[in-house]
Amino acid sequence: MPGEQPLRAKRQFDRPVCRQLGIFAAEILSLIQSVAVIHNFNAGPSILPRIVFEQSAQAVLDYDHTGLSLLEIGHRTPTFQAIMDEARSLVKDLMQLDSDHEVLFLHGGASTQFMQVPMNLLDDKETAAYADTGVWSAKAIKEAKLFGKTEIVCTSKEEDYRYIPRDFAVPNDAKYFHITTNNTIYGTQWQKIPHTSNALVADMSSDIFSRQLDFNAFSLIYAGAQKNMGPAGVNLVVVNKNILGRIKRAIPTIMDYRNHIKEGSLLNTPPVFAIYVSMLTLRWLKAEGGIDAIEERNNRKAALLYEAIDRNPLFTGTVEKADRSKMNVCFIAKDASVEEDFSTYARNQGIVGIKGHRLVGGFRASLYNALPVSSVEFLVELMDEFAASRA
Ligand SMILES: *Cc1c(COP(=O)(O)O)cnc(C)c1O
C-alpha cells in the first residue's frame, strides 16, 4: 500500500534484561493471583456457587437459546413453569417431604414470614409459644403479638444469647412453637430439634439445606433465600397443609398460604429471577450429593475453624461450645488492637466479610454451603500465621 511504513526489524533483546523482566513479571503475576482470590465469608447476602453465577448471568442475556432474557418472559409461560416446577420438586426431593408438605416461593424476606406465620396460624385469643434465642427470634415475637398472644417459653437474652436454652416446657395449648434453628448474629444453633406435641414452626433462614433434619416433623419452615440457597428477594416456605384454615381471621388474599398452594406458587408474579437462581443453587446442591454430602463438608469446615480458634492464643469463641453454629462462627480477639490488625491483615489477603454483626462486634465467619473448604483452610492459615508473628 502506498505510504505504508516498512516492517520494523525485530528488536533484539538483551538477555540479562529479559531475564530480569521475566522474574519481575512472574512476581507480579503471583501477586495478582494471590490478591485476586477472594474468600467470601459474608453473612448474607452471601456466597453462591460459581457455576450458579455463570448460569444466571447467561440466563439474563439469552435464556436457554430462546433469544430472550429470562427477565423479559411471562411467568405463566411453559418456560418459567418448568423452572418453578423444578425448584419445587428439588426442595421436595432434597428434604424428602411427604405429600402433606407444600413448597412455596413467596415474595419478601424472612421478616415477611414473621407476620405471615401468625396471620395464618394464630387467632386473637390463642397463644403461640416462642423460643427467644436472638434478635431474629425477638423480631418474630414482636410481629406475632399483633395477631394473638405469645408466650416466651425460654430465652438466653440475659447472657447476650450465647447459648441455646435447654430446660423449658411448651404449654400444650400453644397453637404452635416457633424456633430459629440457627442464630445468624450470635452464632448459636439448635443441635437437636426440640420434641413437642405442638405444631413446630422454624425460621431456617441461615441453615436451610445445610444439614439433615426430619423436615416432615415441622409444620412450617421458612427461610429467606439469601443466606444459603439463593439471592435476596424470595422466601422458601414449606408448610404442612393440614395446619391451615384453622382460624377465624380474614386473611388478605396475597398473605393466605392456601391461595398460594392452590395456584402452585403462582398466585401473582413471583420473583422470577430469584427463584431461578435458587433453583440453580438447589440443582448444584443435588449434584454435590445433596444434604448428606453438604452436611459432611459443613461439619469439616466448622471443625477446622473452631479448632483454629480454640488453639489460638489471640482469639476466643463467644458462644457455648455445645451450641456452636456450623454456619456462623463468631469469635473475638482478646485484645482490641489485635482485632484491628487482624482485620486489616485478613482483608489484604482477600478475606471478605468476617466483621461481626454491628450488634455484637468481633468476628463472624459465615461458612455457608457454597463456601469451599479451601477458603476455611486459608483463613485458618492466616490466623495461625498471625498468632505466630505476634508470639
Ligand atoms: C437474615 C435473617 C432474617 C431476616 O431476613 P430478611 O430476608 O432480611 O427479612 C431472619 N431470620 C434469620 C435467622 C436470619 O438470618
Side-chain angles (χ1 to χ4, degrees), residues 312-316 331-343 362-363 386 390:
N312 198 301
L314 302 178
F315 301 109
T316 182
F331 58 103
I332 51 171
K334 291 174 186 161
D335 166 336
S337 78
V338 167
E339 185 171 321
E340 274 290 320
D341 292 354
F342 184 69
S343 293
F363 298 100
F386 186 76
R390 293 274 177 136

Side-chain angles (χ1 to χ4, degrees), residues 55-109:
Q55 292 166 337
S56 328
Q58 182 54 44
V60 170
L61 298 172
D62 176 8
Y63 180 72
D64 200 19
H65 311 291
T66 54
L68 291 168
S69 167
L70 179 60
L71 305 183
E72 60 180 341
I73 59 170
H75 57 291
R76 302 199 188 277
T77 54
T79 304
F80 186 73
Q81 186 67 56
I83 293 170
M84 179 61 100
D85 291 346
E86 185 173 350
R88 295 174 84 201
S89 81
L90 278 164
V91 173
K92 285 205 153 191
D93 181 23
L94 287 161
M95 290 184 156
Q96 305 262 293
L97 295 174
D98 62 29
S99 58
D100 286 335
H101 285 76
E102 297 280 351
V103 176
L104 303 172
F105 286 93
L106 304 182
H107 287 269

Side-chain angles (χ1 to χ4, degrees), residues 172-184:
N172 280 330
D173 63 345
K175 195 72 182 290
Y176 62 85
F177 175 42
H178 179 285
I179 63 170
T180 310
T181 50
N182 183 70
N183 298 281
T184 327

Side-chain angles (χ1 to χ4, degrees), residues 44-351:
S46 38
I47 187 169
L48 292 175
R50 182 77 214 168
I51 177 109
V52 169
F53 289 139
E54 286 165 5
Q55 292 166 337
S56 328
Q58 182 54 44
V60 170
L61 298 172
D62 176 8
Y63 180 72
D64 200 19
H65 311 291
T66 54
L68 291 168
S69 167
L70 179 60
L71 305 183
E72 60 180 341
I73 59 170
H75 57 291
R76 302 199 188 277
T77 54
T79 304
F80 186 73
Q81 186 67 56
I83 293 170
M84 179 61 100
D85 291 346
E86 185 173 350
R88 295 174 84 201
S89 81
L90 278 164
V91 173
K92 285 205 153 191
D93 181 23
L94 287 161
M95 290 184 156
Q96 305 262 293
L97 295 174
D98 62 29
S99 58
D100 286 335
H101 285 76
E102 297 280 351
V103 176
L104 303 172
F105 286 93
L106 304 182
H107 287 269
S111 307
T112 309
Q113 293 307 310
F114 294 165
M115 69 152 169
Q116 198 165 353
V117 165
M119 190 188 277
N120 278 266
L121 303 185
L122 188 65
D123 253 334
D124 312 0
K125 302 231 158 46
E126 293 175 329
T127 300
Y130 278 76
D132 174 29
T133 55
V135 165
W136 297 120
S137 308
K139 289 190 177 183
I141 295 164
K142 177 170 175 251
E143 298 307 299
K145 285 183 195 297
L146 298 171
F147 299 95
K149 291 187 268 187
T150 55
E151 181 166 334
I152 299 175
V153 295
C154 59
T155 177
S156 48
K157 188 176 182 184
E158 78 291 345
E159 282 196 45
D160 294 329
Y161 296 119
R162 54 179 301 281
Y163 68 96
I164 298 289
R166 280 185 171 64
D167 297 316
F168 58 86
V170 182
N172 280 330
D173 63 345
K175 195 72 182 290
Y176 62 85
F177 175 42
H178 179 285
I179 63 170
T180 310
T181 50
N182 183 70
N183 298 281
T184 327
I185 295 174
Y186 301 91
T188 61
Q189 189 172 26
W190 292 80
Q191 307 302 339
K192 266 184 60 191
I193 302 304
H195 247 298
T196 83
S197 57
N198 317 73
L200 191 57
V201 174
D203 175 359
M204 289 195 192
S205 293
S206 52
D207 66 352
I208 189 94
F209 296 117
S210 72
R211 58 173 171 164
Q212 206 54 269
L213 294 172
D214 177 8
F215 297 104
N216 290 310
F218 294 85
S219 294
L220 194 148
I221 294 167
Y222 63 92
Q226 72 272 22
K227 311 263 166 56
N228 216 14
M229 63 166 264
V234 68
N235 272 319
L236 171 67
V237 173
V238 171
V239 57
N240 184 331
K241 56 188 178 220
N242 301 323
I243 64 162
L244 301 175
R246 297 195 185 171
I247 55 164
K248 293 185 220 87
R249 169 181 310 109
I251 306 171
T253 309
I254 193 74
M255 284 291 135
D256 191 330
Y257 294 125
R258 290 172 299 178
N259 296 330
H260 290 280
I261 293 171
K262 217 179 299 157
E263 299 298 328
S265 204
L266 279 164
L267 177 60
N268 70 326
T269 315
V272 289
F273 191 60
I275 292 170
Y276 178 65
V277 181
S278 301
M279 186 279 281
L280 291 176
T281 309
L282 296 173
R283 227 192 233 173
W284 167 85
L285 178 57
K286 190 172 176 190
E288 291 290 296
I291 297 181
D292 285 327
I294 210 74
E295 177 171 20
E296 196 271 325
R297 195 186 303 168
N298 288 336
N299 287 345
R300 208 142 39 92
K301 290 187 294 187
L304 271 172
L305 187 50
Y306 282 118
E307 278 160 24
I309 293 166
D310 290 341
R311 71 168 171 262
N312 198 301
L314 302 178
F315 301 109
T316 182
T318 50
V319 305
E320 194 66 37
K321 282 191 181 170
D323 302 325
R324 283 174 159 180
S325 165
K326 286 170 181 147
M327 292 281 102
N328 311 98
V329 176
C330 293
F331 58 103
I332 51 171
K334 291 174 186 161
D335 166 336
S337 78
V338 167
E339 185 171 321
E340 274 290 320
D341 292 354
F342 184 69
S343 293
T344 311
Y345 180 65
R347 192 170 52 245
N348 290 341
Q349 304 282 334
I351 300 271

